[in-house]
Amino acid sequence: MTDEVSGQQATKPTLSKRARLNMLLGDRRRSVVALAGCSILSGFTEAGTLALIAQIAASLVKGGKHVNASIGHFHVHASMGTLIEVAFALTLLRLVLQIPLSVLPARIVAGVQASMRVRLFDAFARASWDVQSRDVEGQLQDTMTTQVMQATAGALQTTIFINSLFTFLVLMGTAFALNSVAALIVGGTSVLLFGLLRPLRRLGVRYSRSLSQAQVEYAGGIAEAIRLAQETQVFGAVDPQRKRVGVLIGNSNQLAFRAQLLGKLVGNLYQSLIYMLMVAGIAGLYLAGAKYAGSLGGVILVLLRAGTSGQLVQGSYQSIAQALPFMERTQDAMNRYAESAPKEGSQPLTQISGLAFENVSFAYNEGRPVLSELSFEVAANEVIGIIGPSGAGKSTIVQLLLQLRAPDTGRYLVNGRRADEFARADWHKQVSYVPQEPRLLHATVSENIRFFRDLDDEAVTRAAKLARIDEDIMSWPMGYETLVGPRADAVSGGQQQRICLARALAAQPEMIVLDEPTSALDPGSERLIGESLQGLKSQVTLFIIAHRMSTLDMCDRVMVIVDGRLVGFDTKALLQRDNTYYRHASALAAGTSPVG
Ligand code: ATP
């Protein structure tokens, strides 16, 4: 395939030729070779059948039971019966060849699609949280579905291209043997047309590239509309929302129309022009007084079929070119994810005897630090509260503690070693998390607590008891087999939060980071979670982002974060004495004015 297929004018092609071939055909080289071989054989059977049909028909017109003719360089002396038998055998062989010619493309295309999806999702699953969280809403869903489908269409077109190209070459070769002048004219014109239609191909690729982008925007718009469906109803924004989505649909619709149109137009134009050329050729032969009816009929038939194959070559080549932007987007996403995969440490981690931040700084965007020079030490089994105004950097600290993000400068030490030196599997077992918003799988309660880990029923029940959710679960008719999840109403917000706490406790971690829920909890659940956390005191190292001052009651020490800086880290009594923000926050919580 030439570079021209990419049709990139504004942007550079991001896929090398080898990567393109890999995406178009996967690793099914043998199937591709078999497809080419079957196409050649099928081409020969077709060419032979057509040449014989023309000769038999011409002989029938003349009358007689024998054919004695010269077809190009071939001389045929045989009875009509023998020729009909040979033609029949050729058609039979062609019929049998249709089986591999149907099975092989289907196998190649299905394999390419599955492997593209597997590789893409693997890369996403292994990507860093930083890259995962930067994805535009709906982007991965769109890439995994629409973009991959379109890229797979490129694989289908490649099989059509291989099949039709070899058929075309065999037919042209046969035509050349029958009548070299006619074949050369048609062959030469085909190549010329291929070149002439190049601007249309490039235009098609440009439309496809815009269409690929428009589809990402469309998917993002739909994902957002689903997420904000409730607000859209409440704020009476249904019509503007419909218009917004309508515009997104309109954009991709227009581009899809143009891309489709060009895809069809190129092949159709090619075939019509080839037919026009044939009619002109026949007219020329008529004027010159053509004599060789049999071979002439044969070459015309073969060239007509070559014209059809040529049309398929043109059309599929155009379609492959138009599938490239989708393949590039898919490959770019794979690369982006794969490059960000966090490195795997090797040190075992069986317990956490202490951790520390040493001058840790972090910025989401260069030049705008969110955390600056944070240093602290925490002993095993301490309960640490984290407070600070909104936007101070508390959630960012949580992400660093969990190793979802790495410090830009400074060190995060666990047991005196850099945290990223530990084996990930050990880390995930020892360090756990309860988010502010409970997020459940659409699955049973027990699967939600287990969360894909190899934990037995006992561990699940033990964790549910610790999280004070076991009694609730046992009161449901299906117990631990009750289906819960984002769209299932079986459980209240407080219960969901306790299921998430049970999930965090199930593998008996050494450290839990808990973003305290503020909104979802009913007083009953709040009390139960409080009890559960009290029960964990002195057993695990606990970090709690406290949104309420009352949560700090159970904390040994409290970190005060203001503007990304640690402005206090002490016991409550000492902070009350020395820390302005803490005093202010306690006074607000107590309903009195701040002191000092
Ligand atoms: P809150 O209590 O309101 O949740 P917080 O103390 O947890 O706030 P963070 O969420 O850590 O604060 O945010 C700290 C700063 O980092 C804020 O200015 C925020 O805008 C910025 N920030 C947070 N997440 C990102 C992100 N993914 N990309 C860019 N900036 C971010």
Side-chain angles (χ1 to χ4, degrees):
M1 214 164 297
T2 64
D3 264 344
E4 176 237 326
V5 169
S6 71
Q8 302 235 4
Q9 283 162 342
T11 38
K12 258 179 66 195
T14 51
L15 284 178
S16 67
K17 282 178 191 169
R18 177 185 278 268
R20 282 180 209 165
L21 269 179
N22 265 341
M23 287 202 92
L24 286 171
L25 298 170
D27 51 3
R28 303 194 167 261
R29 300 241 148 73
R30 269 196 218 155
S31 299
V32 173
V33 172
L35 177 66
C38 290
S39 303
I40 292 172
L41 260 182
S42 164
F44 275 122
T45 58
E46 189 171 0
T49 311
L50 292 174
L52 283 175
I53 286 174
Q55 195 56 55
I56 291 164
S59 302
L60 277 176
V61 172
K62 278 195 222 150
K65 293 192 173 166
H66 276 80
V67 177
N68 189 4
S70 296
I71 310 173
H73 303 292
F74 306 105
H75 304 286
V76 178
H77 305 280
S79 71
M80 290 286 269
T82 311
L83 283 190
I84 288 173
E85 276 167 24
V86 173
F88 189 72
L90 286 175
T91 55
L92 201 65
L93 179 58
R94 190 160 186 274
L95 187 74
V96 173
L97 282 170
Q98 296 318 301
I99 298 170
L101 283 174
S102 308
V103 171
L104 290 168
R107 186 179 291 160
I108 293 171
V109 172
V112 163
Q113 186 180 70
S115 100
M116 228 185 275
R117 286 188 168 152
V118 166
R119 285 189 298 135
L120 182 58
F121 194 76
D122 276 359
F124 171 79
R126 290 170 205 276
S128 71
W129 165 241
D130 180 41
V131 163
Q132 287 178 338
S133 63
R134 277 178 205 267
D135 257 6
V136 178
E137 199 165 19
Q139 189 172 333
L140 180 66
Q141 291 94 315
D142 178 65
T143 313
M144 290 282 298
T145 51
T146 320
Q147 309 280 338
V148 167
M149 292 282 281
Q150 303 268 20
T152 312
L156 174 67
Q157 293 299 331
T158 308
T159 63
I160 296 174
F161 178 80
I162 292 170
N163 179 233
S164 46
L165 179 67
F166 282 107
T167 309
F168 176 78
L169 291 176
V170 170
L171 289 170
M172 286 308 294
T174 311
F176 187 80
L178 295 175
N179 186 326
S180 49
V181 179
L184 275 179
I185 292 173
V186 173
T189 315
S190 293
V191 174
L192 193 71
L193 284 178
F194 196 75
L196 280 178
L197 293 171
R198 184 177 156 145
L200 287 184
R201 268 202 301 278
R202 293 196 151 202
L203 197 58
V205 174
R206 269 217 299 282
Y207 287 143
S208 288
R209 182 153 289 120
S210 308
L211 177 61
S212 165
Q213 177 58 32
Q215 277 175 343
V216 173
E217 284 160 20
Y218 163 73
I222 297 298
E224 188 182 79
I226 295 168
R227 185 167 51 82
L228 293 177
Q230 191 182 37
E231 284 76 1
T232 307
Q233 296 263 352
V234 171
F235 289 95
V238 173
D239 282 341
Q241 178 73 284
R242 278 179 48 227
K243 271 193 203 130
R244 196 158 162 256
V245 172
V247 169
L248 292 172
I249 293 174
N251 284 347
S252 41
N253 184 34
Q254 220 172 44
L255 289 162
F257 167 74
R258 288 181 193 166
Q260 285 287 333
L261 177 70
L262 280 169
K264 291 264 171 276
L265 194 64
V266 169
N268 292 347
L269 272 179
Y270 169 87
Q271 197 189 37
S272 303
L273 290 170
I274 287 284
Y275 279 170
M276 280 170 70
L277 181 79
M278 298 242 191
V279 174
I282 290 169
L285 287 172
Y286 168 71
L287 292 175
K291 289 188 189 119
Y292 311 105
S295 68
L296 187 62
V299 82
I300 286 173
L301 274 184
V302 171
L303 285 176
L304 276 177
R305 271 297 294 144
T308 309
S309 296
Q311 180 197 14
L312 282 173
V313 172
Q314 281 278 355
S316 55
Y317 192 77
Q318 170 88 15
S319 301
I320 295 168
Q322 291 190 194
L324 279 176
F326 297 94
M327 284 164 38
E328 280 166 10
R329 188 175 292 280
T330 309
Q331 185 65 51
D332 282 352
M334 279 186 217
N335 294 346
R336 194 161 38 84
Y337 294 139
E339 281 159 15
S340 78
K343 67 174 191 196
E344 175 69 50
S346 58
Q347 290 297 321
L349 180 70
T350 50
Q351 61 163 47
I352 293 179
S353 52
L355 57 90
F357 270 26
E358 275 184 5
N359 300 317
V360 165
S361 297
F362 179 83
Y364 290 101
N365 300 304
E366 235 180 284
R368 286 165 50 197
V370 168
L371 297 177
S372 308
E373 299 283 322
L374 243 62
S375 292
F376 60 78
E377 280 180 29
V378 170
N381 300 338
E382 266 196 287
V383 179
I384 306 294
I386 306 177
I387 61 165
S390 179
K394 303 181 295 291
S395 303
T396 309
I397 293 180
V398 165
Q399 294 176 43
L400 290 173
L401 283 169
L402 295 169
Q403 280 206 83
L404 287 171
R405 297 180 190 274
D408 293 335
T409 56
R411 300 198 301 166
Y412 174 17
L413 301 175
V414 173
N415 303 345
R417 271 185 189 282
R418 284 176 61 111
D420 58 10
E421 288 176 15
F422 293 106
R424 285 267 150 183
D426 283 0
W427 180 264
H428 297 315
K429 189 168 181 305
Q430 302 302 351
V431 180
S432 190
Y433 173 55
V434 183
Q436 186 168 9
E437 290 285 328
R439 280 186 284 267
L440 297 186
L441 296 169
H442 189 72
T444 64
V445 177
S446 96
E447 284 166 328
N448 264 286
I449 295 177
R450 199 168 271 124
F451 206 74
F452 307 110
R453 292 165 298 180
D454 190 15
L455 299 171
D456 57 23
D457 288 347
E458 207 188 313
V460 170
T461 324
R462 201 193 110 269
K465 283 186 177 145
L466 275 176
R468 307 291 196 274
I469 185 71
D470 174 68
E471 273 183 32
D472 297 48
I473 297 172
M474 293 313 283
S475 72
W476 300 330
M478 299 289 287
Y480 279 84
E481 295 312 302
T482 307
L483 195 65
V484 293
R487 302 267 163 176
D489 297 329
V491 288
S492 72
Q495 288 166 333
Q496 290 181 32
Q497 193 58 261
R498 280 180 282 147
I499 291 174
C500 286
L501 181 57
R503 179 190 289 166
L505 297 172
Q508 304 191 38
E510 287 275 302
M511 171 172 140
I512 301 178
V513 182
L514 193 131
D515 200 346
E516 185 194 45
T518 49
S519 50
L521 288 194
D522 54 290
S525 290
E526 189 182 338
R527 182 179 52 78
L528 288 169
I529 287 192
E531 277 174 29
S532 169
L533 296 180
Q534 282 290 351
L536 295 173
K537 215 167 151 46
S538 318
Q539 291 180 39
V540 292
T541 309
L542 205 57
F543 284 90
I544 308 176
I545 296 191
H547 296 280
R548 281 165 299 197
M549 292 305 275
S550 59
T551 308
L552 298 180
D553 291 349
M554 66 169 296
C555 296
D556 300 318
R557 290 192 292 159
V558 177
M559 266 181 210
V560 183
I561 308 289
V562 176
D563 280 341
R565 293 182 184 278
L566 184 63
V567 297
F569 185 24
D570 230 318
T571 61
K572 283 155 284 177
L574 287 177
L575 285 175
Q576 181 67 31
R577 194 189 69 191
D578 299 334
N579 189 279
T580 314
Y581 178 83
Y582 185 88
R583 263 202 311 277
H584 187 80
S586 323
L588 276 180
T592 59
S593 14
V595 190

